[in-house]
Amino acid sequence: ASIEARERLARRERELERQNERLEEFAGVVSHDLRNPLNVAEGYLDLARETGDDAQFDRVAAALDRMNDLIDDLLALARQGETVDEAEPVPLRDVAERAWSTAGTPAATLRIADDLGVVACDPSRLRQLLENLFRNAITHGADGDDAADLTVTVGRLDEGFYVADNGSGVPVDERDRVFDIGYTTTDGGTGFGLNIVRQIADAHGWSVTLTTSDDGGARFEFDDVEMREST
């Protein structure tokens, strides 16, 4: 009986350790993904105070709505695990443009390379994936130039899509590490952005590969994606 009790205790300790690791990861995801719309809301609130332009409040409201959506989805993720139970068909271009409205910057350009078609996905989590890729391109791809002349391209693959930029790229020996929790090369970075990307891809059953874009920047390819042509 004492051996069984010790085995049960050891199993319980392992379970608690995994739960603690997941809680730490969850806290990092929440802080990372909520920071951007919070900064957007604060920025437009300052503009509204300075200019008296009521239209700025609409942008504040949109950013707060996005934060609410992220909180709902992250809580659902924490409670239900990492899989996508019910995917719905969504035009990829629409999701990309909405993600750019939150995570993009006026100094950079979003380019839609092809008719992106329709992707079967959880649309909010796909938007979260794209937001993280866009922020990553702007933060790392601009090479300290405030994203001037940076172009981020979303294009179609035979069985998926890609997100590429014309920035400074990622050295070959670092490409496997960029998806690890906590890996960052910028001061103040959380190291969660690309780990979130991989988690969301895994939840959909997609594979993700980091390679070099035609312009020498970073290119993230997503394969095994259920897609069809736009109607």
Side-chain angles (χ1 to χ4, degrees):
S2 60
I3 294 176
E4 291 179 0
R6 285 198 297 271
E7 289 177 347
R8 286 198 301 271
L9 180 60
R11 284 196 300 270
R12 181 58 179 160
E13 288 176 347
R14 289 194 296 270
E15 290 171 3
L16 286 172
E17 185 177 351
R18 285 193 294 270
Q19 288 175 4
N20 286 336
E21 289 174 355
R22 183 145 181 82
L23 281 171
E24 289 178 8
E25 181 178 336
F26 176 71
V29 170
V30 170
S31 65
H32 182 280
D33 276 50
L34 289 179
R35 183 175 291 116
N36 193 67
L38 177 60
N39 290 340
V40 169
E42 290 172 340
Y44 284 120
L45 183 59
D46 288 341
L47 277 175
R49 285 171 172 161
E50 291 173 6
T51 65
D53 182 1
D54 287 345
Q56 305 298 341
F57 288 111
D58 293 337
R59 302 194 178 197
V60 175
L64 295 176
D65 286 343
R66 178 59 182 154
M67 290 174 68
N68 278 324
D69 290 343
L70 283 168
I71 290 168
D72 289 343
D73 290 342
L74 287 164
L75 288 174
L77 178 63
R79 291 170 181 149
Q80 299 174 11
E82 298 184 352
T83 60
V84 172
D85 294 325
E86 293 186 14
E88 59 181 275
V90 180
L92 180 54
R93 183 188 187 109
D94 292 352
V95 183
E97 290 176 343
R98 286 197 297 270
W100 187 258
S101 71
T102 306
T105 174
T109 301
L110 175 65
R111 176 173 174 261
I112 305 296
D114 313 286
D115 176 7
L116 297 180
V118 174
V119 58
C121 66
D122 178 327
S124 181
R125 290 169 75 182
L126 175 57
R127 175 175 174 175
Q128 188 182 3
L129 177 151
L130 292 171
E131 285 174 343
N132 276 289
L133 288 176
F134 294 160
R135 283 198 295 269
N136 182 76
I138 292 165
T139 301
H140 300 283
D143 204 19
D145 198 21
D146 294 329
D149 301 322
L150 181 73
T151 297
V152 180
T153 302
V154 181
R156 180 79 178 266
L157 299 172
D158 289 341
E159 295 183 3
F161 61 94
Y162 69 86
V163 178
D165 64 62
N166 62 342
S168 53
V170 180
V172 174
D173 59 354
E174 293 184 19
R175 290 178 185 172
D176 289 337
R177 298 171 56 210
V178 299
F179 294 104
D180 293 343
I181 295 174
Y183 179 79
T184 181
T185 59
T186 59
D187 293 338
T190 63
F192 279 90
L194 294 181
N195 181 262
I196 294 167
V197 168
R198 185 172 63 182
Q199 282 189 22
I200 296 172
D202 288 346
H204 285 85
W206 306 338
S207 63
V208 55
T209 305
L210 171 56
T211 183
T212 303
S213 71
D214 293 341
D215 299 307
R219 175 177 164 122
F220 293 86
E221 297 184 348
F222 297 86
D223 287 301
D224 304 317
V225 182
E226 183 182 341
M227 300 190 72
R228 58 180 172 79
E229 302 303 320
S230 300
T231 54

